Every structure is written in structure tokens, then in C-alpha cells.
Coordinates of all heavy atoms in Angstrom, one line a residue:
K58 N 0.9 -1.2 0.0 CA 0.0 0.0 0.0 C 0.8 1.3 0.0 O 2.1 1.2 0.3 CB -0.9 -0.1 1.3 CG -2.1 -0.9 1.1 CD -3.1 -0.3 0.2 CE -4.3 -1.2 0.2 NZ -5.4 -0.7 -0.7
S59 N 0.2 2.3 -0.3 CA 0.9 3.6 -0.3 C 1.0 4.2 1.0 O 0.3 4.1 1.9 CB 0.2 4.5 -1.4 OG 0.7 5.8 -1.2
T60 N 2.1 5.1 1.0 CA 2.2 5.9 2.3 C 1.6 7.3 2.2 O 1.7 8.2 3.0 CB 3.6 6.0 2.7 OG1 4.4 6.6 1.6 CG2 4.3 4.8 3.1
A61 N 1.0 7.6 1.0 CA 0.5 8.9 0.7 C -0.8 9.1 1.6 O -1.4 8.2 2.0 CB 0.1 9.0 -0.7
A62 N -1.0 10.4 1.8 CA -2.1 10.8 2.6 C -3.4 10.5 2.0 O -3.5 10.3 0.7 CB -2.0 12.3 2.9
K63 N -4.6 10.5 2.7 CA -5.8 10.3 2.1 C -6.3 11.5 1.4 O -5.9 12.7 1.8 CB -6.8 10.0 3.3 CG -6.8 8.7 3.9 CD -7.9 8.4 4.7 CE -8.1 6.9 5.0 NZ -9.3 6.6 5.5
P64 N -7.1 11.4 0.3 CA -7.5 12.5 -0.5 C -8.4 13.3 0.4 O -9.2 12.8 1.3 CB -8.2 11.9 -1.7 CG -8.7 10.5 -1.1 CD -7.5 10.1 -0.1
A65 N -8.5 14.6 0.0 CA -9.5 15.6 0.7 C -10.9 15.1 0.1 O -11.0 14.6 -1.0 CB -9.1 17.0 0.3
E66 N -11.8 15.4 1.0 CA -13.3 15.1 0.5 C -13.8 16.1 -0.4 O -13.3 17.2 -0.5 CB -14.2 15.1 1.8 CG -14.0 14.0 2.7 CD -14.3 12.6 2.1 OE1 -15.4 12.5 1.3 OE2 -13.6 11.7 2.4
P67 N -14.4 15.5 -1.5 CA -14.8 16.5 -2.6 C -15.8 17.5 -2.0 O -16.6 17.1 -1.0 CB -15.5 15.5 -3.7 CG -15.8 14.3 -2.9 CD -14.8 14.2 -1.8
Q68 N -15.9 18.7 -2.7 CA -16.8 19.7 -2.2 C -17.8 19.9 -3.4 O -17.4 20.6 -4.3 CB -16.0 20.8 -1.9 CG -15.1 20.6 -0.7 CD -14.3 21.9 -0.4 OE1 -14.3 22.9 -1.1 NE2 -13.5 21.8 0.7
G69 N -18.9 19.4 -3.4 CA -20.0 19.7 -4.3 C -20.0 19.0 -5.6 O -20.7 19.3 -6.5
A70 N -19.1 18.0 -5.8 CA -19.1 17.3 -7.0 C -19.5 15.8 -6.7 O -19.3 15.3 -5.6 CB -17.7 17.4 -7.6
S71 N -20.1 15.2 -7.7 CA -20.5 13.8 -7.6 C -19.5 13.0 -8.3 O -19.0 13.4 -9.3 CB -21.8 13.7 -8.3 OG -22.1 12.4 -8.4
P72 N -19.1 11.8 -7.6 CA -18.3 10.9 -8.4 C -18.7 10.5 -9.7 O -17.8 10.1 -10.5 CB -18.2 9.7 -7.4 CG -18.6 10.2 -6.0 CD -19.6 11.2 -6.4
K73 N -20.0 10.6 -9.9 CA -20.6 10.2 -11.3 C -20.1 11.2 -12.3 O -20.0 10.8 -13.5 CB -22.1 10.3 -11.2 CG -22.7 9.2 -10.3 CD -24.1 9.3 -10.3 CE -24.8 8.4 -9.2 NZ -26.1 8.7 -9.0
N74 N -19.7 12.4 -11.9 CA -19.2 13.4 -12.9 C -17.8 13.2 -13.3 O -17.3 13.8 -14.2 CB -19.5 14.8 -12.4 CG -20.8 15.1 -12.2 OD1 -21.7 14.6 -12.9 ND2 -21.2 16.0 -11.2
I75 N -17.1 12.4 -12.5 CA -15.6 12.3 -12.8 C -15.4 11.6 -14.1 O -16.0 10.5 -14.4 CB -14.9 11.5 -11.7 CG1 -14.9 12.3 -10.3 CG2 -13.5 11.2 -12.0 CD1 -14.5 11.5 -9.1
P76 N -14.5 12.1 -14.9 CA -14.3 11.5 -16.3 C -13.4 10.4 -16.2 O -12.2 10.4 -16.7 CB -13.6 12.7 -17.1 CG -12.8 13.4 -16.1 CD -13.7 13.3 -14.8
L77 N -14.1 9.2 -15.8 CA -13.2 7.9 -15.6 C -12.4 7.5 -17.0 O -11.4 7.1 -17.0 CB -14.0 6.8 -15.2 CG -13.9 6.5 -13.6 CD1 -14.9 5.5 -13.3 CD2 -12.6 6.3 -13.1
G78 N -13.1 7.7 -18.0 CA -12.7 7.3 -19.3 C -11.4 8.1 -19.6 O -10.3 7.5 -20.1
L79 N -11.4 9.3 -19.4 CA -10.2 10.1 -19.6 C -9.1 9.8 -18.7 O -8.0 9.7 -19.2 CB -10.6 11.7 -19.4 CG -9.4 12.7 -19.6 CD1 -8.9 12.7 -21.0 CD2 -10.0 14.1 -19.2
L80 N -9.4 9.6 -17.5 CA -8.4 9.2 -16.5 C -7.7 7.8 -16.9 O -6.4 7.6 -16.8 CB -8.9 9.1 -15.2 CG -9.5 10.4 -14.5 CD1 -10.0 10.1 -13.2 CD2 -8.4 11.5 -14.5
R81 N -8.5 6.9 -17.2 CA -8.1 5.6 -17.6 C -7.2 5.7 -18.9 O -6.1 5.0 -19.0 CB -9.3 4.6 -17.9 CG -9.8 4.2 -16.5 CD -11.2 3.4 -16.8 NE -11.3 2.1 -16.5 CZ -10.6 1.3 -15.6 NH1 -9.6 1.8 -15.1 NH2 -10.9 0.0 -15.4
E82 N -7.6 6.4 -19.9 CA -6.9 6.6 -21.1 C -5.6 7.3 -20.9 O -4.5 6.7 -21.4 CB -7.6 7.5 -22.1 CG -7.0 7.8 -23.4 CD -7.7 8.7 -24.4 OE1 -9.0 8.9 -24.2 OE2 -7.0 9.2 -25.4
A83 N -5.6 8.2 -20.0 CA -4.2 8.9 -19.7 C -3.3 7.8 -19.0 O -2.1 7.8 -19.3 CB -4.5 10.1 -18.8
V84 N -3.7 7.0 -18.1 CA -2.9 6.1 -17.4 C -2.4 5.0 -18.4 O -1.3 4.6 -18.5 CB -3.6 5.4 -16.2 CG1 -2.8 4.2 -15.7 CG2 -3.8 6.6 -15.1
E85 N -3.3 4.6 -19.4 CA -3.0 3.5 -20.3 C -1.9 3.9 -21.3 O -1.0 3.2 -21.7 CB -4.2 3.2 -21.1 CG -5.2 2.2 -20.4 CD -6.4 1.8 -21.2 OE1 -6.6 2.3 -22.4 OE2 -7.3 1.2 -20.6
N86 N -2.0 5.3 -21.7 CA -1.1 5.8 -22.6 C 0.1 6.5 -22.2 O 1.0 6.8 -22.9 CB -1.9 6.8 -23.5 CG -2.9 6.0 -24.4 OD1 -2.6 5.2 -25.2 ND2 -4.1 6.4 -24.3
T87 N 0.3 6.4 -20.8 CA 1.5 6.9 -20.3 C 2.3 5.9 -19.3 O 3.4 6.3 -18.8 CB 1.3 8.1 -19.4 OG1 0.4 7.9 -18.4 CG2 0.7 9.4 -20.2
N88 N 1.8 4.7 -19.3 CA 2.4 3.8 -18.4 C 3.7 3.1 -18.9 O 3.9 3.1 -20.1 CB 1.5 2.7 -17.8 CG 1.0 1.9 -18.9 OD1 1.5 1.7 -19.9 ND2 -0.2 1.2 -18.6
D89 N 4.6 2.7 -18.0 CA 5.8 1.9 -18.4 C 5.4 0.4 -18.7 O 4.3 0.1 -18.5 CB 6.8 2.2 -17.4 CG 6.6 1.7 -16.0 OD1 5.6 0.9 -15.8 OD2 7.3 2.2 -15.1
D90 N 6.4 -0.4 -18.8 CA 6.1 -1.8 -19.0 C 5.7 -2.5 -17.7 O 5.3 -3.7 -17.9 CB 7.4 -2.4 -19.6 CG 8.7 -2.3 -18.8 OD1 8.6 -1.5 -17.8 OD2 9.7 -3.0 -19.2
T91 N 5.7 -1.9 -16.6 CA 5.1 -2.6 -15.4 C 3.7 -2.0 -15.1 O 3.0 -2.5 -14.2 CB 5.9 -2.3 -14.2 OG1 6.0 -0.9 -13.9 CG2 7.4 -2.7 -14.4
G92 N 3.2 -1.0 -15.9 CA 1.9 -0.6 -15.8 C 1.7 0.7 -15.0 O 0.7 1.2 -14.7
W93 N 2.8 1.3 -14.3 CA 2.8 2.5 -13.6 C 3.1 3.6 -14.4 O 3.9 3.6 -15.4 CB 3.9 2.3 -12.5 CG 3.5 1.3 -11.5 CD1 4.0 0.1 -11.3 CD2 2.6 1.5 -10.4 NE1 3.6 -0.6 -10.3 CE2 2.6 0.1 -9.7 CE3 1.8 2.5 -9.9 CZ2 1.9 0.0 -8.4 CZ3 1.1 2.2 -8.7 CH2 1.1 1.1 -8.0
S94 N 2.4 4.7 -14.1 CA 2.6 6.0 -14.7 C 2.9 7.1 -13.7 O 2.3 7.1 -12.7 CB 1.2 6.4 -15.4 OG 0.9 5.6 -16.3
Q95 N 3.7 7.9 -14.1 CA 4.0 9.2 -13.2 C 2.9 10.1 -13.2 O 2.4 10.4 -14.3 CB 5.3 9.9 -13.6 CG 6.5 9.6 -13.0 CD 7.6 10.4 -13.3 OE1 7.5 11.6 -13.8 NE2 8.9 10.0 -13.0
L96 N 2.5 10.6 -12.1 CA 1.4 11.5 -11.9 C 1.6 12.7 -12.9 O 0.5 13.2 -13.5 CB 1.0 11.8 -10.5 CG -0.3 12.7 -10.4 CD1 -1.6 12.0 -10.7 CD2 -0.4 13.1 -8.9
G97 N 2.8 13.3 -12.9 CA 2.9 14.5 -13.7 C 2.9 14.2 -15.2 O 2.3 15.1 -15.9
T98 N 3.2 13.0 -15.6 CA 3.1 12.6 -17.1 C 1.6 12.6 -17.3 O 1.1 12.9 -18.5 CB 3.8 11.4 -17.3 OG1 5.2 11.4 -16.9 CG2 3.9 11.0 -18.8
I99 N 0.8 11.9 -16.4 CA -0.6 11.8 -16.7 C -1.3 13.1 -16.8 O -2.1 13.3 -17.6 CB -1.2 11.0 -15.5 CG1 -0.7 9.6 -15.4 CG2 -2.9 11.0 -15.6 CD1 -1.0 8.8 -14.2
G100 N -1.0 14.0 -15.8 CA -1.4 15.4 -15.9 C -1.2 16.0 -17.2 O -2.1 16.7 -17.8
S101 N -0.1 15.9 -17.7 CA 0.4 16.6 -19.0 C -0.4 16.0 -20.1 O -1.0 16.7 -21.0 CB 1.9 16.3 -19.4 OG 2.7 17.0 -18.3
Y102 N -0.6 14.7 -20.1 CA -1.4 14.0 -21.2 C -2.8 14.4 -21.1 O -3.5 14.7 -22.2 CB -1.3 12.4 -20.8 CG -2.0 11.6 -22.0 CD1 -1.3 11.3 -23.1 CD2 -3.3 11.2 -21.9 CE1 -1.9 10.6 -24.1 CE2 -3.9 10.6 -22.9 CZ -3.3 10.2 -24.0 OH -3.9 9.4 -25.0
I103 N -3.4 14.5 -20.0 CA -4.8 14.9 -19.9 C -4.9 16.4 -20.3 O -5.9 16.7 -21.1 CB -5.3 14.9 -18.4 CG1 -5.5 13.4 -18.0 CG2 -6.6 15.6 -18.2 CD1 -5.7 13.2 -16.5
L104 N -4.0 17.3 -20.1 CA -4.1 18.6 -20.5 C -3.9 18.8 -22.0 O -4.5 19.7 -22.7 CB -3.2 19.5 -19.8 CG -3.5 19.8 -18.4 CD1 -2.4 20.5 -17.6 CD2 -4.9 20.5 -18.1
K105 N -3.2 17.9 -22.5 CA -3.1 18.0 -24.1 C -4.4 17.5 -24.8 O -4.9 18.0 -25.8 CB -2.0 17.0 -24.6 CG -0.7 17.4 -24.4 CD 0.5 16.5 -24.8 CE 1.7 17.0 -24.6 NZ 2.9 16.0 -24.8
L106 N -5.1 16.5 -24.1 CA -6.4 16.1 -24.7 C -7.5 17.1 -24.4 O -8.5 17.3 -25.1 CB -6.7 14.7 -24.2 CG -5.9 13.5 -24.6 CD1 -6.5 12.3 -24.0 CD2 -6.1 13.4 -26.1
Q107 N -7.5 17.6 -23.2 CA -8.6 18.4 -22.5 C -7.9 19.6 -21.8 O -7.9 19.6 -20.7 CB -9.5 17.6 -21.8 CG -10.8 18.2 -21.5 CD -11.7 17.2 -20.8 OE1 -11.7 16.0 -21.0 NE2 -12.4 17.7 -19.9
P108 N -7.6 20.7 -22.7 CA -6.9 21.8 -22.1 C -7.7 22.5 -20.9 O -7.1 23.0 -20.0 CB -6.7 22.8 -23.2 CG -6.8 22.0 -24.4 CD -7.7 20.8 -24.1
D109 N -9.0 22.3 -20.9 CA -9.7 23.0 -19.8 C -9.8 22.1 -18.5 O -10.6 22.5 -17.6 CB -11.0 23.4 -20.3 CG -12.0 22.4 -20.8 OD1 -11.5 21.3 -21.1 OD2 -13.1 22.7 -20.9
F110 N -9.2 20.9 -18.5 CA -9.4 20.0 -17.5 C -8.9 20.5 -16.1 O -7.9 21.2 -16.0 CB -8.7 18.6 -17.6 CG -8.8 17.6 -16.5 CD1 -9.8 16.8 -16.5 CD2 -7.9 17.6 -15.5 CE1 -10.0 15.8 -15.4 CE2 -8.0 16.8 -14.5 CZ -9.2 15.8 -14.4
D111 N -9.6 20.5 -15.1 CA -9.2 21.0 -13.8 C -9.9 20.1 -12.7 O -11.1 19.9 -12.6 CB -9.6 22.3 -13.5 CG -9.0 23.1 -12.3 OD1 -8.6 22.4 -11.4 OD2 -9.1 24.3 -12.2
S112 N -8.9 19.4 -11.9 CA -9.6 18.5 -10.9 C -10.5 19.1 -9.9 O -11.4 18.6 -9.4 CB -8.4 17.8 -10.1 OG -7.7 18.7 -9.3
R113 N -10.3 20.5 -9.6 CA -11.2 21.3 -8.8 C -12.7 21.3 -9.3 O -13.5 21.4 -8.6 CB -10.7 22.8 -8.7 CG -9.3 22.7 -7.9 CD -8.7 24.1 -7.9 NE -8.3 24.5 -9.1 CZ -7.7 25.6 -9.5 NH1 -7.3 26.4 -8.6 NH2 -7.4 25.9 -10.8
S114 N -12.8 21.2 -10.6 CA -14.2 21.0 -11.2 C -14.9 19.8 -10.7 O -16.2 19.8 -10.8 CB -14.1 20.9 -12.8 OG -13.4 22.1 -13.3
F115 N -14.1 18.8 -10.2 CA -14.8 17.7 -9.7 C -14.7 17.6 -8.2 O -15.1 16.5 -7.6 CB -14.1 16.5 -10.3 CG -14.1 16.5 -11.8 CD1 -13.0 16.9 -12.5 CD2 -15.3 16.3 -12.6 CE1 -12.9 17.1 -13.8 CE2 -15.2 16.3 -13.9 CZ -14.1 16.7 -14.5
G116 N -14.3 18.8 -7.6 CA -14.3 18.7 -6.1 C -13.0 18.4 -5.5 O -13.0 18.2 -4.2
Y117 N -12.0 18.2 -6.2 CA -10.7 17.8 -5.7 C -9.7 18.8 -5.9 O -9.5 19.4 -7.0 CB -10.2 16.5 -6.2 CG -11.2 15.3 -5.9 CD1 -12.3 15.0 -6.8 CD2 -11.1 14.7 -4.7 CE1 -13.1 14.0 -6.4 CE2 -11.9 13.7 -4.2 CZ -12.9 13.3 -5.2 OH -13.8 12.4 -4.8
K118 N -9.0 19.2 -4.9 CA -8.0 20.3 -4.9 C -6.8 20.0 -5.9 O -6.3 20.8 -6.5 CB -7.4 20.5 -3.5 CG -6.7 21.8 -3.4 CD -6.4 22.0 -1.8 CE -6.0 23.3 -1.5 NZ -5.7 23.5 0.0
K119 N -6.3 18.7 -5.9 CA -5.2 18.2 -6.9 C -5.6 17.0 -7.5 O -6.5 16.2 -7.1 CB -4.0 18.1 -6.0 CG -3.5 19.3 -5.1 CD -2.2 18.9 -4.4 CE -2.6 18.0 -3.3 NZ -1.4 17.6 -2.4
L120 N -4.9 16.8 -8.6 CA -5.1 15.6 -9.4 C -4.8 14.3 -8.6 O -5.5 13.2 -8.7 CB -4.1 15.6 -10.7 CG -4.3 14.5 -11.6 CD1 -5.7 14.5 -12.1 CD2 -3.4 14.6 -12.8
T121 N -3.8 14.4 -7.6 CA -3.6 13.4 -6.8 C -4.8 12.9 -6.0 O -5.1 11.8 -5.9 CB -2.5 13.8 -5.8 OG1 -1.4 14.3 -6.4 CG2 -2.1 12.7 -4.9
D122 N -5.4 14.0 -5.4 CA -6.7 13.7 -4.7 C -7.7 13.0 -5.4 O -8.4 12.1 -5.0 CB -7.2 14.9 -4.1 CG -6.3 15.7 -3.0 OD1 -5.5 14.9 -2.4 OD2 -6.4 16.8 -2.9
L123 N -7.8 13.4 -6.7 CA -8.8 12.9 -7.6 C -8.6 11.3 -7.8 O -9.5 10.5 -7.6 CB -8.9 13.5 -8.9 CG -9.9 13.0 -10.0 CD1 -11.3 13.1 -9.5 CD2 -9.7 13.9 -11.2
F124 N -7.4 10.9 -8.2 CA -7.0 9.5 -8.3 C -7.2 8.7 -7.0 O -7.7 7.6 -7.0 CB -5.6 9.4 -8.8 CG -5.5 9.5 -10.2 CD1 -5.1 10.7 -11.0 CD2 -5.9 8.4 -11.1 CE1 -5.0 10.7 -12.3 CE2 -5.8 8.6 -12.5 CZ -5.3 9.7 -13.1
M125 N -6.8 9.3 -5.9 CA -6.9 8.6 -4.6 C -8.3 8.4 -4.2 O -8.5 7.5 -3.4 CB -6.0 9.4 -3.5 CG -4.6 9.4 -3.9 SD -3.7 10.5 -2.7 CE -3.2 9.2 -1.5
A126 N -9.2 9.2 -4.7 CA -10.6 9.0 -4.4 C -11.3 7.8 -5.2 O -12.5 7.5 -4.9 CB -11.3 10.3 -4.6
L127 N -10.5 7.2 -5.9 CA -11.1 6.1 -6.9 C -10.3 4.9 -6.7 O -9.8 4.3 -7.6 CB -11.0 6.6 -8.4 CG -11.7 8.0 -8.7 CD1 -11.4 8.4 -10.0 CD2 -13.3 7.7 -8.6
P128 N -10.2 4.4 -5.4 CA -9.3 3.2 -5.2 C -9.8 1.9 -5.9 O -9.1 1.0 -5.9 CB -9.3 3.1 -3.7 CG -10.6 3.7 -3.2 CD -10.8 4.8 -4.2
E129 N -11.1 1.9 -6.3 CA -11.7 0.7 -7.0 C -11.2 0.7 -8.5 O -11.3 -0.4 -9.1 CB -13.2 0.6 -6.9 CG -13.9 1.8 -7.6 CD -14.0 3.1 -6.7 OE1 -13.5 3.2 -5.7 OE2 -14.6 4.0 -7.3
H130 N -10.7 1.8 -9.0 CA -10.2 1.9 -10.3 C -8.7 2.1 -10.4 O -8.2 1.5 -11.4 CB -10.8 3.2 -10.9 CG -12.4 3.0 -11.0 ND1 -13.0 2.2 -12.0 CD2 -13.3 3.6 -10.3 CE1 -14.3 2.4 -11.8 NE2 -14.5 3.1 -10.7
F131 N -8.0 2.7 -9.5 CA -6.6 3.1 -9.5 C -5.9 2.7 -8.1 O -6.5 2.8 -7.1 CB -6.3 4.5 -9.9 CG -7.1 4.9 -11.1 CD1 -8.3 5.6 -11.0 CD2 -6.6 4.7 -12.3 CE1 -8.9 6.0 -12.2 CE2 -7.1 5.1 -13.5 CZ -8.3 5.8 -13.4
E132 N -4.8 2.3 -8.3 CA -3.8 2.3 -7.1 C -2.7 3.1 -7.4 O -2.4 3.7 -8.5 CB -3.3 0.7 -6.8 CG -2.6 0.2 -8.0 CD -2.2 -1.2 -7.7 OE1 -1.6 -1.5 -6.6 OE2 -2.5 -2.2 -8.5
W133 N -2.0 3.6 -6.3 CA -1.0 4.5 -6.3 C 0.1 4.1 -5.3 O 0.0 3.3 -4.4 CB -1.5 5.9 -5.9 CG -2.2 6.0 -4.6 CD1 -1.5 6.3 -3.4 CD2 -3.5 5.6 -4.2 NE1 -2.3 6.2 -2.4 CE2 -3.6 5.8 -2.9 CE3 -4.7 5.3 -4.9 CZ2 -4.9 5.5 -2.1 CZ3 -5.8 5.0 -4.3 CH2 -5.9 5.2 -2.9
K134 N 1.3 4.7 -5.6 CA 2.3 4.6 -4.7 C 3.3 5.8 -4.9 O 3.1 6.5 -5.8 CB 3.2 3.2 -5.0 CG 3.9 3.3 -6.3 CD 4.6 2.0 -6.4 CE 5.3 1.7 -7.8 NZ 5.9 0.6 -8.0
D135 N 4.1 6.0 -3.9 CA 5.0 7.2 -4.0 C 6.4 6.6 -3.9 O 6.7 5.6 -3.1 CB 4.8 8.4 -3.1 CG 4.4 7.9 -1.6 OD1 5.0 7.0 -1.2 OD2 3.6 8.7 -1.0
R136 N 7.4 7.2 -4.6 CA 8.7 6.9 -4.5 C 9.5 8.2 -4.1 O 9.3 9.2 -4.7 CB 9.3 6.3 -5.7 CG 8.6 5.0 -6.1 CD 9.2 4.5 -7.4 NE 8.4 3.4 -8.0 CZ 8.3 3.1 -9.3 NH1 9.1 3.8 -10.1 NH2 7.7 2.1 -9.7
A137 N 10.6 8.0 -3.3 CA 11.4 9.2 -3.2 C 12.1 9.5 -4.5 O 12.6 8.7 -5.2 CB 12.6 8.9 -2.2
A138 N 12.1 10.9 -4.8 CA 12.8 11.5 -6.0 C 14.3 11.4 -5.8 O 14.7 11.7 -4.7 CB 12.3 12.8 -6.3
P139 N 15.1 11.0 -6.7 CA 16.5 10.9 -6.6 C 17.0 12.4 -6.3 O 16.7 13.2 -6.9 CB 17.1 10.4 -7.9 CG 15.9 10.1 -8.7 CD 14.6 10.5 -8.1
N140 N 17.9 12.5 -5.3 CA 18.6 13.7 -4.9 C 17.5 14.9 -4.6 O 18.0 16.0 -5.0 CB 19.5 14.2 -6.1 CG 20.5 13.0 -6.3 OD1 21.0 12.3 -5.5 ND2 20.7 12.8 -7.5
A141 N 16.4 14.5 -4.1 CA 15.4 15.6 -3.8 C 14.6 15.1 -2.6 O 14.4 13.9 -2.3 CB 14.6 15.9 -5.0
P142 N 14.2 16.1 -1.8 CA 13.4 15.8 -0.6 C 11.9 15.3 -1.0 O 11.1 15.0 -0.1 CB 13.4 17.1 0.3 CG 13.7 18.1 -0.7 CD 14.4 17.5 -1.9
T143 N 11.5 15.6 -2.3 CA 10.1 15.3 -2.7 C 9.9 13.8 -3.0 O 10.9 13.0 -3.2 CB 9.7 16.1 -3.8 OG1 10.6 15.9 -4.9 CG2 9.8 17.6 -3.5
K144 N 8.7 13.4 -3.1 CA 8.3 12.1 -3.6 C 7.6 12.2 -4.9 O 6.9 13.2 -5.2 CB 7.3 11.4 -2.6 CG 8.0 11.1 -1.3 CD 7.2 10.3 -0.3 CE 8.0 10.0 0.9 NZ 7.2 9.1 1.8
I145 N 7.7 11.2 -5.8 CA 7.0 11.0 -7.0 C 5.9 10.2 -6.9 O 6.1 9.0 -6.4 CB 8.1 10.7 -8.1 CG1 9.1 11.7 -8.3 CG2 7.2 10.5 -9.5 CD1 10.3 11.2 -9.2
I146 N 4.6 10.5 -7.3 CA 3.6 9.6 -7.2 C 3.4 8.9 -8.5 O 3.5 9.5 -9.6 CB 2.3 10.5 -6.8 CG1 2.5 11.1 -5.4 CG2 1.0 9.6 -6.8 CD1 1.4 12.1 -5.0
Y147 N 3.1 7.7 -8.4 CA 2.8 6.8 -9.6 C 1.4 6.2 -9.4 O 1.0 5.8 -8.3 CB 3.8 5.6 -9.7 CG 5.2 6.1 -10.0 CD1 6.0 6.6 -9.0 CD2 5.7 6.0 -11.3 CE1 7.3 7.0 -9.3 CE2 6.9 6.5 -11.6 CZ 7.8 6.9 -10.7 OH 8.9 7.3 -10.9
I148 N 0.7 6.1 -10.5 CA -0.6 5.6 -10.6 C -0.7 4.4 -11.6 O 0.0 4.3 -12.6 CB -1.6 6.7 -11.2 CG1 -1.5 7.9 -10.4 CG2 -3.0 6.1 -11.2 CD1 -2.1 8.0 -9.0
R149 N -1.6 3.4 -11.2 CA -1.8 2.2 -12.1 C -3.2 1.8 -12.0 O -3.8 1.9 -11.0 CB -0.9 1.0 -11.6 CG -1.0 -0.2 -12.2 CD 0.1 -1.3 -12.0 NE -0.1 -1.7 -10.7 CZ 0.7 -2.7 -10.1 NH1 1.7 -3.1 -10.8 NH2 0.5 -3.2 -8.9
M150 N -3.8 1.3 -13.1 CA -5.1 0.7 -13.0 C -5.2 -0.5 -12.3 O -4.3 -1.3 -12.3 CB -5.6 0.6 -14.6 CG -5.9 2.1 -15.1 SD -6.9 1.9 -16.6 CE -5.8 1.0 -17.6
R151 N -6.3 -0.7 -11.7 CA -6.6 -2.1 -10.9 C -7.1 -3.0 -12.0 O -7.7 -2.7 -13.0 CB -7.6 -1.8 -9.8 CG -7.0 -1.1 -8.8 CD -7.9 -1.3 -7.5 NE -7.3 -0.5 -6.4 CZ -6.3 -1.0 -5.5 NH1 -5.8 -2.2 -5.7 NH2 -5.8 -0.2 -4.6

């Protein structure tokens, strides 16, 4: 399991409105040979397809929170970034 924090609860958005097809397509088309995709790469892919995409439209402050709110569809993990104090988040479809 991941050590990442739980996502913030959505504000005013219904999970039914979340564009699962778009999220799945982004993960499918950016993953490596193990099935994992870097969250930043996913975000870039989504913005190329749908420039007006914003996770806040679905009630989530960040794209990370949006993916973490869908554990039945996606799993995630974070890894320490080389030579940096930050972590890189990876997403994979279930």
C-alpha cells in the first residue's frame, strides 16, 4: 500500500461526474512496461487532450486527490525522488 495521505473530501461534486474514461486513457497511454505512470506525465497527457481539465471542477484540490478517491479503479504509490526531498507519485489501473 501507499504511504500517501488520504485525499481531501470532494466539495459539491458527484463521483458520477468524474471523467473515468479520460483518466483511464491517460494512465494507459503513459504507463511503463510494469503498468505504472508518473502522475505528472498523466497530468500533462490529460491537458493535451482536454486543455480545460481541472480536478477542482470535480471537487478535488489536486489531481492526486482525484485519483486517490477512486481506489476501486486505480492504485498509487510514491517513491522518493533521486537527490530531492520530494516524492514522485505513480498511478496504475486495477
Side-chain angles (χ1 to χ4, degrees):
K58 282 284 181 180
S59 172
T60 58
K63 284 190 162 192
E66 288 297 316
Q68 299 172 357
S71 164
K73 295 176 188 169
N74 297 333
I75 294 173
L77 260 178
L79 176 64
L80 299 178
R81 286 171 114 20
E82 178 182 345
V84 172
E85 282 178 5
N86 290 306
T87 60
N88 65 17
D89 61 18
D90 55 351
T91 64
W93 291 100
S94 300
Q95 261 191 16
L96 185 65
T98 306
I99 294 169
S101 296
Y102 184 90
I103 289 171
L104 289 176
K105 284 180 185 174
L106 289 181
Q107 195 172 326
D109 62 341
F110 179 87
D111 188 338
S112 60
R113 293 173 294 188
S114 300
F115 307 100
Y117 295 93
K118 198 172 192 179
K119 299 182 293 183
L120 187 58
T121 307
D122 296 333
L123 179 58
F124 274 103
M125 293 173 95
L127 301 166
E129 64 278 6
H130 299 283
F131 304 100
E132 58 182 306
W133 59 90
K134 66 180 175 180
D135 50 31
R136 297 181 195 154
N140 303 319
T143 58
K144 292 186 178 184
I145 299 171
I146 296 173
Y147 291 84
I148 306 290
R149 178 168 70 178
M150 286 193 298
R151 290 201 180 270

